[in-house]
Amino acid sequence: MHLSRRDLLVLWLFAFVASALVGTHGIVYWDAGDYVTLAIDGGRSGLLLGRPLFLLVSRAIVDTGIDSAWAEPVLRWFWTAVGACAAPAMAVLAARLGV
């Protein structure tokens, strides 16, 4: 099965909308505030598994000149958009595996 770019875009859009409806109403993840603070202050997380890269990218976004008052919503929507990429990525993987 071949997935077109349009199919992948629609799948991403559905994932993005679902994420927006479920969990983007302010800081809902229990330590999201800490991550925003670390991104603004340039702090480091003691946790591994991608968090250093996550904070590096978040810090780069904040360093573009975003007012710290807007950092949380900008980072929230950016990472929501990135997270929605998981759905099309899994669809591509499944198609390549013949599922």
Side-chain angles (χ1 to χ4, degrees), residues 35-90:
Y35 287 124
V36 172
T37 301
L38 290 172
I40 292 170
D41 296 340
R44 296 183 182 152
S45 172
L47 301 174
L48 297 176
L49 300 175
R51 285 179 180 86
L53 179 60
F54 169 78
L55 284 172
L56 181 68
V57 172
S58 295
R59 180 67 187 173
I61 291 168
V62 170
D63 283 345
T64 63
I66 295 170
D67 185 336
S68 61
W70 285 95
E72 191 278 326
V74 168
L75 292 173
R76 176 180 1 130
W77 288 108
F78 174 80
W79 289 112
T80 299
V82 170
C85 293
M90 288 302 291

